[in-house]
Amino acid sequence: VPFRNVRINLPEGDNFILKKGNAGKVEEFKVIHQMPSINIKGISLLSKNDTDNNFAIGTDIDLSYTSNYDGFSGWSISEKIRSKINFHGLGHQLNNLNIINNSAENTALFIQRPYGIIRDLSMLNVNINGGGNSGGIVGYGDNIKIHNIYITGKIKGNHAGGIIGSAHNNTIINNSYTNVNIEGWSNAGGLVGEATTVYYGGLNINDSHSLGNIKSYYYSGGLIGYANAGNSSYINIGESSFKGNIEGNIASGGLIGAASSFSYGLSGNTILSIKGSYASGKVFSKQHAGGLVGDTYLSGVDAILEIKNNYTTNSVLGNKDVGGLIGYGRYSNGESGNNGWNTFKKSNKLNIINNYSIGQVGTINNGDLDTVGGLVGRIDFINSQSTLPALNRISNSFYNIET
């Protein structure tokens, strides 16, 4: 496993301090050897303090006892809906987390919108069966940085991801790995179930990788089930990968099940990008199956989807809209006018540059051969109120040729 794991064993108590440089801020941590008690009739709290929640794990912790608590959905950082956390695993393991609560809105190790950093932690053999927003580490998160995390096990729920169920503005996942089987009704991803960003916020996934089987009726992706960048925000995937099997009815992709990018006249582009990444294994979807992305949609103005320097070796099969890179692409022509803040006259852009696909691409069950392509299965250009053309470029990209 390419997980960078160096254990630091510490006794319990207030005995771990971090400081950045000679004049940096001093952060004091509480070292724990067990997670807090579970309150089955209320909220299980990591801390009763609303601020300065700095915790470090001083030894490996077995959480198999969580299987004894029906209705448990995970720990909350504090009593506040949003609480800051600085959680350092110090290379240790939290093993055998068991959550069975399919009526809960959020199910994960941490459930209620933590913000801050969670790092240097392994979670082995998780078993989570939740309602909405089910993740290994975080159920619903924004302004959260995940660094050097490794998770194995199985997760089931709506918006189900190996690390985060539902991720939003200013989320970063770096150098993290999952080997998790994911299953849900919609939005299932190896790292993130659903990712939505708006208004100059963003989400970055860098040097992160997923193994396993992903299955969902709507939107199944090796890294993200459903990615939605809106109104001058961004979602970027770089130097990341998936290996395994992906199955769904509508929109399954080797890295993203369904991806949309839209903006309506705010200054700045809305960007969704996949760069320097790859997918291998098998992808199947009755509609919209892609080696990288199952379904894409650009709308409004200045919406950009860029797929650059990637490759796929997976087999991609379906009944309709099957492509080695993208299954189905929908793009509006861009718009022009005045939104009350500024005048705009801009176009959307699809850029597919320096990619290749060398896996099997085809249909099953007498599927529609007219919507099968080595790179893209089908593209629809949607007329808008403007006559501006959508700007699309496919260059230096190949099917069934190693470059």
Side-chain angles (χ1 to χ4, degrees):
V1 175
F3 173 64
R4 301 176 186 128
N5 179 20
V6 177
R7 282 188 175 91
I8 300 175
N9 296 315
L10 293 174
E12 289 183 283
D14 300 326
N15 52 28
F16 178 54
I17 294 175
L18 287 180
K19 182 179 180 181
K20 295 181 179 180
N22 293 329
K25 179 182 177 181
V26 174
E27 294 181 318
E28 298 180 355
F29 287 76
K30 179 180 180 179
V31 178
I32 59 175
H33 282 190
Q34 61 183 359
M35 292 297 288
S37 60
I38 293 174
N39 180 2
I40 200 62
K41 294 183 179 180
I43 299 175
S44 300
L45 298 178
L46 181 65
S47 171
K48 294 183 179 180
N49 187 7
D50 289 339
T51 59
D52 298 325
N53 289 307
N54 297 336
F55 291 88
I57 299 177
T59 188
D60 293 346
I61 299 175
D62 183 6
L63 298 176
S64 58
Y65 66 88
T66 53
S67 63
N68 298 325
Y69 292 88
D70 292 337
F72 174 62
S73 57
W75 281 274
S76 181
I77 309 305
S78 73
E79 292 180 344
K80 295 177 67 176
I81 293 177
R82 283 180 52 75
S83 298
K84 185 176 182 180
I85 187 172
N86 199 346
F87 195 87
H88 282 237
L90 300 181
H92 290 110
Q93 299 175 359
L94 291 179
N95 296 334
N96 305 311
L97 174 66
N98 194 84
I99 298 174
I100 308 297
N101 190 350
N102 54 23
S103 64
E105 182 179 355
N106 300 298
T107 47
L109 179 67
F110 298 124
I111 57 175
Q112 284 185 293
R113 297 187 70 180
Y115 65 95
I117 185 168
I118 301 171
R119 63 176 298 158
D120 303 325
L121 173 69
S122 294
M123 293 185 65
L124 306 184
N125 194 35
V126 302
N127 179 27
I128 298 174
N129 188 341
N133 305 332
S134 298
I137 296 285
V138 176
Y140 182 107
D142 57 10
N143 292 278
I144 185 80
K145 183 177 181 179
I146 306 291
H147 178 73
N148 202 32
I149 297 293
Y150 178 60
I151 301 177
T152 70
K154 56 185 179 180
I155 297 174
K156 185 177 181 180
N158 198 32
H159 311 321
I163 294 177
I164 302 177
S166 183
H168 299 268
N169 280 8
N170 305 320
T171 294
I172 298 173
I173 299 176
N174 281 332
N175 186 46
S176 293
Y177 305 84
T178 65
N179 187 349
V180 180
N181 293 330
I182 309 286
E183 184 176 350
W185 172 251
S186 66
N187 305 340
L191 300 181
V192 176
E194 176 228 0
T196 297
T197 60
V198 293
Y199 302 120
Y200 308 106
L203 179 146
N204 283 312
I205 295 176
N206 303 303
D207 189 20
S208 294
H209 310 272
S210 178
L211 303 172
N213 301 311
I214 315 292
K215 185 177 181 180
S216 179
Y217 190 92
Y218 293 101
Y219 311 154
S220 308
L223 300 182
I224 302 176
Y226 175 55
N228 179 28
N231 284 332
S232 302
S233 67
Y234 61 87
I235 295 176
N236 297 326
I237 295 175
E239 305 297 330
S240 298
S241 70
F242 172 79
K243 181 178 181 180
N245 301 321
I246 300 171
E247 181 180 349
N249 276 38
I250 298 175
S252 299
L255 298 184
I256 301 177
S260 65
S261 180
F262 69 91
S263 186
Y264 294 103
L266 296 178
S267 60
N269 295 320
T270 300
I271 301 172
L272 199 157
S273 71
I274 304 172
K275 296 181 180 179
S277 299
Y278 67 91
S280 61
K282 298 179 181 179
V283 177
F284 170 78
S285 185
K286 289 184 179 180
Q287 297 182 50
H288 318 329
L292 291 179
V293 185
D295 180 286
T296 65
Y297 181 45
L298 299 182
S299 65
V301 299
D302 269 354
I304 297 173
L305 173 62
E306 185 163 72
I307 298 176
K308 187 175 182 180
N309 299 332
N310 307 285
Y311 71 91
T312 68
T313 61
N314 46 19
S315 66
V316 185
L317 299 173
N319 294 335
K320 183 179 180 180
D321 305 331
V322 183
L325 300 179
I326 296 175
Y328 180 37
R330 294 169 292 157
Y331 308 97
S332 70
N333 288 345
E335 299 176 355
S336 61
N338 189 296
N339 63 2
W341 295 279
N342 54 22
T343 300
F344 52 86
K345 187 177 181 181
K346 304 170 183 177
S347 293
N348 299 318
K349 300 173 184 177
L350 165 67
N351 294 321
I352 300 175
I353 304 169
N354 298 338
N355 305 278
Y356 69 89
S357 171
I358 60 172
Q360 177 189 8
V361 177
T363 64
I364 62 172
N365 299 328
N366 298 316
D368 186 357
L369 291 175
D370 290 335
T371 60
V372 175
L375 297 179
V376 180
R378 176 164 64 110
I379 294 180
D380 279 347
F381 297 100
I382 302 170
N383 291 325
S384 69
Q385 63 182 347
S386 169
T387 58
L388 293 173
L391 302 179
N392 302 280
R393 177 169 54 149
I394 300 177
S395 65
N396 198 37
S397 295
F398 307 93
Y399 172 66
N400 219 16
I401 297 176
E402 284 199 64
T403 59

